Amino acid sequence: MKQESAAQNTPPASPPPSPPAQHPRDHGDPQALWIFGYGSLVWRPDFAYSDSRVGFVRGYSRRFWQGDTFHRGSDKMPGRVVTLLEDHEVRAGVKRGTLGPSMEGCGQGCTWGVAYQVRGEQVSEALKYLNVREAVLGGYDTKEVTFYPQDTPDQPLKALAYVATPQNPGYLGPAPEEAIATQILACRGFSGHNLEYLLRLADFMQLCGPQAQDEHLAAIVDAVGTMLPCFCPTEQALALV
């Protein structure tokens, strides 16, 4: 999820999308809301929250298919950040031929991330902030997902997630991992280099343990590792991260 702090920068003059009429609430606390982050929100939420839990959502795959012209790229050189792809979208894409046959046997998707609980006044403040960060600057819409905490997967939670769909103007769609890696290495935005975004997300997945797998992310990291020495001198490469 392309999610970065942008308080010091001026957002483009585009109207925010209409929020859903209702947000998923914590059944144990009607005043609380859980927000699921799977991109930069996992390391940089930048809003006040009462609790956080590492875990996963089922039926979704994380893909670097959203373009970013603000946080990790520019209008001339859009960066690549993540969105969620539902399993039925994968099947439909394979059938239409817009996704390669290698996606056909992927099975049920599973995306790891962090769910943040906001309560009371935190709810409106978090939603106001994320509307700018995710919707206005990022092109993301909101979606309700079922989140399974790592420590209590038998007690799932309803959570709000920000998802970039193919209908938004910044959507880039599928590309070979090597092409995505090349784009990531070339891009920088107001929140930093696109490579930092990739590596921080990879670090988070390692902290989740061996049960947390993301083949798409791992393939891009591997491609970057192969390209980086040729892309720039060692000193410049280290400066990127």
Side-chain angles (χ1 to χ4, degrees):
M1 183 182 330
K2 176 178 57 175
Q3 322 103 317
E4 305 288 351
S5 175
Q8 71 274 27
N9 301 303
T10 303
S14 58
S18 299
Q22 293 183 339
H23 295 297
R25 295 287 176 165
D26 187 334
H27 294 302
D29 184 352
Q31 301 301 314
L33 170 69
W34 288 92
I35 299 171
F36 176 64
Y38 57 92
S40 64
L41 278 181
V42 303
W43 72 84
R44 189 178 175 181
D46 277 352
F47 57 83
Y49 57 90
S50 300
D51 191 11
S52 65
R53 301 183 187 181
V54 173
F56 56 89
V57 296
R58 291 173 176 154
Y60 294 86
S61 299
R62 176 169 37 214
R63 291 290 183 269
F64 276 80
W65 289 3
Q66 175 67 1
D68 185 345
T69 60
F70 188 82
H71 297 298
R72 301 292 177 171
S74 64
D75 290 334
K76 293 183 178 180
M77 298 183 66
R80 283 261 184 178
V81 290
V82 293
T83 185
L84 292 180
L85 191 70
E86 288 193 69
D87 288 347
H88 75 83
E89 294 176 297
V90 174
R91 293 190 293 268
V94 171
K95 187 175 181 179
R96 292 194 305 267
T98 56
L99 297 181
S102 62
M103 296 282 290
E104 191 168 9
C106 287
Q108 186 184 45
C110 181
T111 297
W112 284 76
V114 179
Y116 299 94
Q117 185 193 55
V118 289
R119 303 179 69 254
E121 294 181 356
Q122 293 176 344
V123 175
S124 60
E125 291 300 318
L127 292 176
K128 180 180 178 181
Y129 167 71
L130 291 172
N131 183 58
V132 174
R133 174 169 163 172
E134 304 295 340
V136 176
L137 296 177
Y140 286 70
D141 293 325
T142 53
K143 188 178 189 67
E144 180 179 316
V145 296
T146 301
F147 173 78
Y148 297 86
Q150 184 178 31
D151 53 349
T152 56
D154 58 334
Q155 300 176 29
L157 307 165
K158 293 297 182 181
L160 187 72
Y162 288 81
V163 179
T165 68
Q167 287 69 44
N168 87 82
Y171 192 78
L172 297 178
E177 277 81 7
E178 293 78 8
I180 294 176
T182 300
Q183 189 170 353
I184 287 173
L185 283 170
C187 293
R188 176 187 292 274
F190 286 110
S191 296
H193 203 284
N194 206 174
L195 179 59
E196 179 200 14
Y197 178 98
L198 172 73
L199 297 182
R200 282 186 179 272
L201 192 52
D203 287 344
F204 165 76
M205 288 296 290
Q206 288 188 338
L207 293 174
C208 290
Q211 73 275 21
Q213 300 293 322
D214 190 328
E215 294 181 359
H216 176 70
L217 172 64
I220 297 171
V221 171
D222 287 346
V224 163
T226 301
M227 298 175 183
L228 193 55
C230 302
F231 194 83
C232 56
T234 304
E235 294 79 5
Q236 294 181 19
L238 291 174
L240 294 178
V241 296

